[in-house]
Amino acid sequence: MIQSKKLSNGFKFVEVSNDTASVKIALQGAHIFHYQRVGEEPVLWLSDIEAFDFGKSIRGGVPICWPWFGIQENLPQHGFARTSMFALTHTDDTNPNNTHLTFTLQDSNESRKLWNYKFKLELHVEIGDTLTMRLTTTNLDEKSFTLSQALHSYFDVSHISNVEINGLENKPYLDALTWTKELQKDSITFNKEVDRVYQEVDGKITLKDKNRTLYIENEGSSSVVVWNPWIDKCKRMSAMKDDDYKKMVCIESANAFDDTIVMKPKSSHTLVATVS
Ligand code: TA6
């Protein structure tokens, strides 16, 4: 079942439930803010003080960082897609186990003021036992553009001290806290702030928690961001309570830093992230 819903402030979202899972996706940002398999706990973390304000990214779920990842001088951090209004352009719920939705964003007067290119951006979401997100960028301009991006997934965890991430061993990373290049030796555990862009990533990533293991697989990407704000940064984050760093970890399927893409006119690129 696919339902169009609205919060009391008018914030619109689509709710899907089928025989295997349920999802909630805001039209602002094509932002998936809930995904849960039948009989299981939610997979994605969402701040319980999130106000769903227009023009402000939702804290949790899967923000789409696009057409740049990170900071650009005098421009919004992580781009403008996550605060732009998408249209729901395709739905298919003929299979009771798997529902397909497509959300589309095209350039506008507003977007061209921030980033002067013609484009089409589509998020195709497949909701089932597995959550598949396909983010396709098409350059509709006469000139090439540079694209960096991320599906900035916030995963819900029992406690950050129970978390172990595997699959990034022996990968080089940029430490975004020190701006140094490092090499990941072992699996990743957390006892301090972590903000890293892993490079040359080519396999499945495992997020091991106390009672659950999730697998994240990416295509069209060789970079993965791992982030937990820890105690001090968490206190400074918008829409996060002081203790929320204990309940979440971000594993972001990205095209960032060395994995930034140059897109020629009329070309398309698809970043795929699968969570199972
Ligand atoms: O992906 C990690 C990161 O870039 C962090 O540096 C962090 O501050 C964050 O994303 C959240 O950014 P936001 O703009 O959503 O507050």
Side-chain angles (χ1 to χ4, degrees):
M1 187 165 48
I2 304 171
Q3 290 174 287
S4 289
K5 295 201 166 176
K6 233 190 233 180
L7 299 175
S8 55
N9 66 353
F11 200 93
K12 288 184 185 164
F13 66 99
V14 180
E15 187 167 343
V16 173
S17 52
N18 58 33
D19 287 355
T20 53
S22 60
V23 82
K24 292 180 190 170
I25 308 175
L27 290 186
Q28 179 177 289
H31 194 135
I32 303 170
F33 61 93
H34 175 80
Y35 168 63
Q36 186 169 17
R37 298 182 196 130
V38 170
E40 295 184 22
E41 294 296 310
V43 168
L44 300 173
W45 179 80
L46 173 69
S47 166
D48 55 19
I49 54 166
E50 175 53 49
F52 295 96
D53 289 327
F54 291 97
K56 217 175 136 255
S57 181
I58 298 167
R59 180 66 66 203
V62 187
I64 297 176
C65 304
W66 189 99
W68 57 85
F69 175 83
I71 299 166
Q72 294 252 350
E73 220 182 332
N74 300 323
L75 288 169
Q77 162 141 310
H78 292 327
F80 54 83
R82 61 183 183 162
T83 50
S84 299
M85 210 51 83
F86 283 63
L88 178 62
T89 47
H90 178 76
T91 63
D92 179 358
D93 63 351
T94 45
N95 180 336
N97 295 320
N98 262 299
T99 308
H100 296 254
L101 303 177
T102 306
F103 296 83
T104 304
L105 177 70
Q106 290 205 248
D107 58 284
S108 62
N109 289 338
E110 283 305 298
S111 74
R112 285 190 297 272
K113 277 182 212 156
L114 293 169
W115 195 64
N116 192 19
Y117 296 99
K118 292 184 197 137
F119 66 83
K120 182 158 88 170
L121 177 65
E122 290 165 300
L123 179 73
H124 179 263
V125 189
E126 186 179 337
I127 303 117
D129 248 356
T130 295
L131 176 68
T132 305
M133 300 168 273
R134 289 191 183 84
L135 186 66
T136 302
T137 302
T138 305
N139 181 352
L140 298 177
D141 213 285
E142 309 298 318
K143 49 192 190 289
S144 297
F145 58 66
T146 300
L147 174 69
S148 61
Q149 59 181 352
L151 291 159
H152 192 303
S153 309
Y154 287 74
F155 292 99
D156 193 275
V157 297
S158 60
H159 193 287
I160 191 69
S161 60
N162 296 328
V163 169
E164 187 179 303
I165 297 173
N166 291 294
L168 296 168
E169 300 86 312
N170 301 317
K171 301 297 177 195
Y173 67 85
L174 175 76
D175 189 324
L177 303 174
T178 55
W179 293 97
T180 51
K181 288 205 169 179
E182 310 286 345
L183 187 74
Q184 182 65 42
K185 292 194 193 84
D186 306 311
S187 47
I188 305 169
T189 52
F190 297 83
N191 56 14
K192 59 179 181 183
E193 184 179 353
V194 167
D195 193 347
R196 300 174 184 167
V197 186
Y198 287 88
Q199 308 272 281
E200 301 170 27
V201 180
D202 50 8
K204 195 184 271 186
I205 297 161
T206 307
L207 168 55
K208 235 167 101 187
D209 193 2
K210 198 169 157 203
N211 295 317
R212 173 168 74 184
T213 301
L214 294 171
Y215 302 94
I216 299 130
E217 276 182 279
N218 304 322
E219 285 169 45
S221 146
S222 62
S223 48
V224 165
V225 181
V226 175
W227 178 59
N228 181 284
W230 210 248
I231 300 165
D232 293 340
K233 188 164 187 185
C234 191
K235 289 185 182 154
R236 301 195 301 270
M237 296 297 299
S238 62
M240 278 185 110
K241 291 191 296 190
D242 288 359
D243 272 358
D244 278 347
Y245 74 94
K246 295 178 183 167
K247 303 176 191 157
M248 51 69 64
V249 67
C250 286
I251 302 177
E252 309 166 29
S253 312
N255 293 106
F257 295 94
D258 292 352
D259 188 26
T260 295
I261 295 167
V262 177
M263 293 195 59
K264 295 208 168 93
K266 314 292 174 255
S267 68
S268 290
H269 172 79
T270 302
L271 165 66
V272 187
T274 306
V275 182
S276 57

